[in-house]
Amino acid sequence: TQTVSQSDAHVTVFEGDSVELRCNYSYGGSIYLSWYIQHHGHGLQFLLKYYSGNPVVQGVNGFEAEFSKSDSSFHLRKASVHWSDSAVYFCAVSASSNNRIFFGDGTQLVVKP
Amino acid sequence: EAAVTQSPRSKVAVTGGKVTLSCHQTNNHDYMYWYRQDTGHGLRLIHYSYVADSTEKGDIPDGYKASRPSQENFSLILELASLSQTAVYFCASSDAGREGQNTLYFGAGTRLSVL
């Protein structure tokens, strides 16, 4: 069974700062990795995903994530955050061999003006 | 634009009562899912369906039933609601294919409080 861990429950930055939200997974086989964003009071929205190829994937609104097999990680980054980026971010992992997608516990990002 | 609509948006239920949460999608997606979110935690899969009139158990199905009467509609039923089922419930849909390979489109969620 695959698992996903988001080590930071809360991250606070100032507008214009760069940010990295961490995601580590455990699974030995081929996997799909995704990031979703949840604004307060809303459902989750897809940001980006990775399966193969270029380990750096681009998403919406300037977000990107980098896959590292050696570190078992899929960290999300943004070079310059905006107040509207304040939300909860979920990392998700699914093995290519089964029908299950597992979500991390989420990281709450607060962007201060 | 793809849309998943959940109703009600919030509900207060009494212990032992029956609760039905509804989900309607206009995405023309084959797959639909019910997830549960507890405060400060990620989502856990309760039930899912890949075709009308058929449902499958997810990771935490105990205490829940699901119904998929049509491609567009997917309901979650709590026959005997319990305090431990207080949570936010999300419905999602995705294209045909494996859950993990496809993008999930979520509804806005239903906040259920069981008293």
Side-chain angles (χ1 to χ4, degrees), chain B residues 13 43 115:
Chain B
L43 279 68
L115 306 178

Side-chain angles (χ1 to χ4, degrees), chain B:
Chain B
E1 186 176 330
V4 178
T5 306
Q6 294 182 231
S7 62
R9 289 296 313 275
S10 67
K11 181 164 181 71
V12 178
V14 296
T15 304
K18 182 177 180 178
V19 176
T20 300
L21 307 183
S22 300
C23 179
H24 178 80
Q25 57 107 350
T26 58
N27 303 330
N28 198 31
H29 287 164
D30 287 326
Y31 279 73
M32 294 188 75
Y33 313 85
W34 276 106
Y35 286 90
R36 167 181 172 150
Q37 183 179 37
D38 294 282
T39 302
H41 294 282
L43 279 68
R44 292 181 290 171
L45 181 64
I46 307 171
H47 285 288
Y48 67 101
S49 168
Y50 53 83
V51 68
D53 295 322
S54 177
T55 63
E56 305 292 333
K57 293 181 179 180
D59 300 313
I60 54 163
D62 293 344
Y64 302 95
K65 291 184 179 179
S67 173
R68 183 93 182 269
S70 63
Q71 185 194 42
E72 298 80 15
N73 296 292
F74 191 38
S75 298
L76 184 68
I77 303 147
L78 290 66
E79 294 279 3
L80 295 170
S82 66
L83 294 173
S84 64
Q85 293 177 311
T86 293
V88 179
Y89 292 84
F90 288 99
C91 177
S93 72
S94 73
D95 288 333
R98 292 186 175 182
E99 176 198 359
Q101 299 180 19
N102 293 287
T103 300
L104 296 173
Y105 294 86
F106 284 86
T110 296
R111 184 173 296 276
L112 175 65
S113 297
V114 182
L115 306 178

Side-chain angles (χ1 to χ4, degrees), chain A residues 13 17 30 56 61 64 72 74 86 88 92 107 113:
Chain A
V13 296
D17 286 349
S30 298
V56 180
N61 294 334
E64 69 175 28
S72 298
F74 188 56
S86 295
V88 181
T107 296

Side-chain angles (χ1 to χ4, degrees), chain A residues 32 34 36 38 40-46 49 88 90 94-106, chain B residues 9 31 35 37 40-43 45 48 57-59 90 97-109:
Chain A
Y32 292 84
S34 305
Y36 287 79
Q38 183 182 31
H40 181 69
H42 292 83
L44 281 70
Q45 289 181 289
F46 172 78
K49 67 180 174 183
V88 181
F90 290 94
S94 175
S96 60
S97 60
N98 64 43
N99 253 4
R100 293 289 181 263
I101 181 168
F102 291 88
F103 287 88
D105 286 344
Chain B
R9 289 296 313 275
Y31 279 73
Y35 286 90
Q37 183 179 37
H41 294 282
L43 279 68
L45 181 64
Y48 67 101
K57 293 181 179 180
D59 300 313
F90 288 99
R98 292 186 175 182
E99 176 198 359
Q101 299 180 19
N102 293 287
T103 300
L104 296 173
Y105 294 86
F106 284 86

